[in-house]
Amino acid sequence: MIKKIISTFLIIIIFSANSVFAKKVKPLSQLQRREVETHFFDTSDTERVMKAAVNTLQDSGFVIQEIEPELGYLRARKDFKKRYINKGRAVGYSFLVAAFTTLAVFTYGTTAYNIADPAIRLGNEFKDKTVVVDSNVDIERFGKNKTKVRFVLVQKVLQNADGYSFVKSAPTRVIRIYDPEIYQEFFAQLDKSIFYEGI
């Protein structure tokens, strides 16, 4: 019992240290974000770019949800499982487990049933979550010989109140993805796909 208490407090200390010493990333300005999400292609054929965008997204595992060719709009979605730990929740549940364990020791085990709920929630926090990535692609002609493509990614981590992950649950974390490498990779693949569409 004492070993469990010590190990629980060690978990709390580790998570607290991680949250304090975590490296903060400087957020991008609105203009920088738009630059990351936007690319210009040397073609005025927006229909060809639209077809290439559909193929590129499908090749990346996305499922097309909506296409509006006249508006130059495309929406797609990708679901997968990923390990995501909310440090705040994990620390909170660890504290509750430690507190209820201590209480159980002093009450000779009569309150041990209180440990079950935070312990289950803490365990669920370390399980894989369902992650949904929504993508929006806006395609429009730019000038005489170019097409502007803006690609936006939004990631949602799904988890319900009990900690079990499933698609219909509410998102516990919604973030707009601004990793330049992801966008560079997409636009590079799209460029190749546009080339193949023209052959």
Side-chain angles (χ1 to χ4, degrees):
M1 190 66 75
I2 299 297
K3 287 182 180 179
K4 287 184 180 179
I5 296 172
I6 293 170
S7 62
T8 304
F9 278 115
L10 283 174
I11 290 171
I12 294 171
I13 292 168
I14 290 168
F15 276 106
S16 299
N18 283 340
S19 60
V20 170
F21 296 108
K23 187 178 179 182
K24 291 186 178 180
V25 180
K26 186 179 178 182
L28 297 173
S29 68
Q30 188 174 0
L31 182 61
Q32 288 174 321
R33 283 180 262 174
R34 189 171 292 185
E35 286 177 356
V36 167
E37 297 170 344
T38 307
H39 193 80
F40 297 89
F41 294 95
D42 294 323
T43 177
S44 59
D45 191 347
T46 55
E47 186 179 344
R48 178 173 150 196
V49 175
M50 176 69 79
K51 289 178 181 177
V54 169
N55 290 332
T56 302
L57 287 168
Q58 288 179 330
D59 290 344
S60 299
F62 283 86
V63 176
I64 307 302
Q65 303 286 309
E66 184 181 353
I67 300 176
E68 296 286 348
E70 294 179 3
L71 299 175
Y73 175 76
L74 168 63
R75 185 170 64 86
R77 173 179 171 143
K78 181 179 184 179
D79 298 354
F80 59 94
K81 294 282 188 178
K82 183 180 180 182
R83 178 69 56 90
Y84 167 71
I85 301 169
N86 184 312
K87 292 179 182 178
R89 287 164 62 111
V91 169
Y93 295 145
S94 297
F95 177 78
L96 287 174
V97 169
F100 287 135
T101 302
T102 304
L103 182 63
V105 169
F106 287 109
T107 59
Y108 300 101
T110 57
T111 58
Y113 62 88
N114 290 319
I115 302 170
D117 183 63
I120 290 170
R121 291 174 183 268
L122 180 61
N124 288 334
E125 197 60 46
F126 289 91
K127 290 181 181 176
D128 290 348
K129 310 293 189 303
T130 298
V131 179
V132 175
V133 179
D134 287 322
S135 66
N136 296 295
V137 184
D138 289 301
I139 299 166
E140 61 179 294
R141 191 168 175 176
F142 188 83
K144 291 183 179 179
N145 302 313
K146 288 185 181 291
T147 297
K148 183 175 83 170
V149 177
R150 187 173 183 190
F151 177 54
V152 177
L153 285 173
V154 177
Q155 179 177 291
K156 302 171 187 175
V157 178
L158 303 182
Q159 184 178 39
N160 73 355
D162 296 327
Y164 295 101
S165 175
F166 57 96
V167 174
K168 290 184 179 179
S169 58
T172 59
R173 184 173 185 243
V174 179
I175 58 168
R176 188 111 166 234
I177 300 173
Y178 294 116
D179 186 348
E181 290 183 7
I182 293 174
Y183 287 93
Q184 288 166 8
E185 177 66 22
F186 171 78
F187 289 129
Q189 294 299 322
L190 180 56
D191 195 24
K192 291 177 184 177
S193 190
I194 290 170
F195 174 75
Y196 291 132
E197 284 290 332
I199 294 176

